[in-house]
Amino acid sequence: MKESFSIPFYAADLPCPLPTNSEIENAPDISLEYGGRRVVGVGQHFVVKFGQGVDLAEGENMLFVRENTNICVPRVFALYSDTKTGKSFIIMERIIGETLLAAWPRLTQTEKQNILSDLRIQFNEMRQLPSPNYFGSFGKRKLLDGIFWTEEPDPLVNGPFDSEESLNEAMLRKYSYNGGPHYRVEYLRKCLPLIFKGHKATFTHGDLQRKNIIIREKLQQDDERTRVVLIDWEKSGWYPVYWEYCMAVCALRWDDDWPIWIDTLLMPFVSEAAWLQSLRLELWS
């Protein structure tokens, strides 16, 4: 498998010339600005995520998945940074459709089953990517989920990690970093190895929510691609195999039947989900 891509990256085959930075800055927002990031639509062909909070590793994740699987992700047309502004740019294919979150209330049970079946095929294929000898982002770099974030670089918290034990310890270090009680940390240090053990590193999307799933508009009759497209690969990387399910559970709002379908899409890790959700609530309470 390819372990890195040359940055800046520019695709050879473009539907039209790439937008300029000025065109991007003045384009209409698709989603709210957050964490030093904006997502805008530029014309009919491009969506751009850009800002000082953008990590180009997200674009590399998408290139990696497209190159090694049949999972449907937007094409990446360019990855680069502007040294003058400190902003990074991910220019990608604009998928015409609506999110599964928007479509969900009007879907029939049969339509939900068909969509979940397509998603299950894609996530099962993701699970089959060969496991490396580390837990970290693509290219053996730090993990990008917020639970491993520190203001200043700290490899003992950020990763990558050579073992699940080191990853567990990183979560405890982050707990201390956030000011968590010392005795709580010592208690968790006894508990976590009993729950988070024996899990292989598995390539993970990391943010399975309906807002990150686009149902494309009706395909042409000869188009064999799936209608379901996965977006927002910002947190993706090699995590323990339980991580995908646990993050999906942590994001549940419990206001409709979506939680019932999660167990039909992903292998359940119920104990791990309960512990990780509790830990995340404590970290961000």
Side-chain angles (χ1 to χ4, degrees), residues 20-268:
T20 65
N21 286 4
S22 177
E23 289 173 325
I24 293 169
E25 291 280 3
N26 292 296
D29 288 309
I30 290 177
S31 63
L32 294 175
E33 184 174 353
Y34 67 101
R37 307 165 180 84
R38 283 182 63 200
V39 181
V40 301
V42 186
Q44 63 177 331
H45 294 294
F46 301 118
V47 164
V48 184
K49 179 182 281 191
F50 71 103
Q52 294 180 346
V54 169
D55 194 318
L56 295 181
E58 177 178 358
E60 292 186 73
N61 287 331
M62 297 166 68
L63 290 170
F64 170 74
V65 171
R66 282 188 66 91
E67 186 167 298
N68 292 284
T69 73
N70 293 312
I71 296 167
C72 201
V73 302
R75 285 191 59 206
V76 176
F77 295 122
L79 301 172
Y80 64 91
S81 296
D82 185 330
T83 56
K84 292 181 180 179
T85 64
K87 294 180 180 180
S88 294
F89 294 77
I90 301 174
I91 302 179
M92 62 194 113
E93 174 188 8
R94 185 167 195 165
I95 306 297
I96 305 302
E98 66 177 334
T99 66
L100 184 58
L101 179 62
W104 193 260
R106 67 174 184 274
L107 295 177
T108 66
Q109 289 293 104
T110 299
E111 288 171 330
K112 291 177 181 179
Q113 288 173 351
N114 291 338
I115 289 170
L116 268 292
S117 178
D118 285 346
L119 285 169
R120 184 162 53 249
I121 290 170
Q122 296 195 52
F123 277 94
N124 284 346
E125 184 171 2
M126 206 183 306
R127 300 287 92 83
Q128 299 308 310
L129 285 165
S131 178
N133 60 351
Y134 67 88
F135 298 91
S137 292
F138 174 69
K140 201 171 184 180
R141 289 172 287 185
K142 65 181 182 179
L143 285 169
L144 298 177
D145 188 282
I147 202 169
F148 302 103
W149 178 88
T150 54
E151 186 171 0
E152 297 296 330
D154 182 352
L156 293 178
V157 178
N158 316 142
F161 308 105
D162 292 329
S163 67
E164 188 172 9
E165 291 77 12
S166 297
L167 184 145
N168 292 343
E169 183 63 25
M171 290 192 285
L172 296 175
R173 287 178 178 272
K174 178 59 181 289
Y175 194 93
S176 296
Y177 175 87
N178 281 22
H182 168 73
Y183 291 112
R184 175 65 170 158
V185 172
E186 291 306 307
Y187 175 76
L188 290 171
R189 186 167 279 118
K190 293 180 180 179
C191 295
L192 295 195
L194 302 176
I195 304 296
F196 301 128
K197 61 178 181 178
H199 301 104
K200 71 174 185 177
T202 305
F203 195 79
T204 301
H205 177 273
D207 195 12
L208 174 56
Q209 300 186 59
R210 287 170 292 178
K211 67 177 184 178
N212 293 330
I213 300 165
I214 296 181
I215 304 174
R216 293 194 295 167
E217 291 184 355
K218 187 174 181 180
L219 307 180
Q220 300 297 321
Q221 191 169 5
D222 60 347
D223 193 340
E224 297 180 354
R225 295 175 297 171
T226 177
R227 289 185 63 192
V228 183
V229 182
L230 292 169
I231 64 171
D232 200 348
W233 295 79
E234 181 177 322
K235 300 177 181 178
S236 303
W238 301 96
Y239 294 84
V241 66
Y242 64 77
W243 199 266
E244 196 86 81
Y245 177 82
C246 292
M247 292 300 101
V249 169
C250 287
L252 293 176
R253 295 177 179 268
W254 307 100
D255 54 359
D256 61 16
D257 65 337
W258 172 246
I260 308 302
W261 294 87
I262 292 294
D263 286 3
T264 72
L265 172 57
L266 301 171
M267 178 185 295

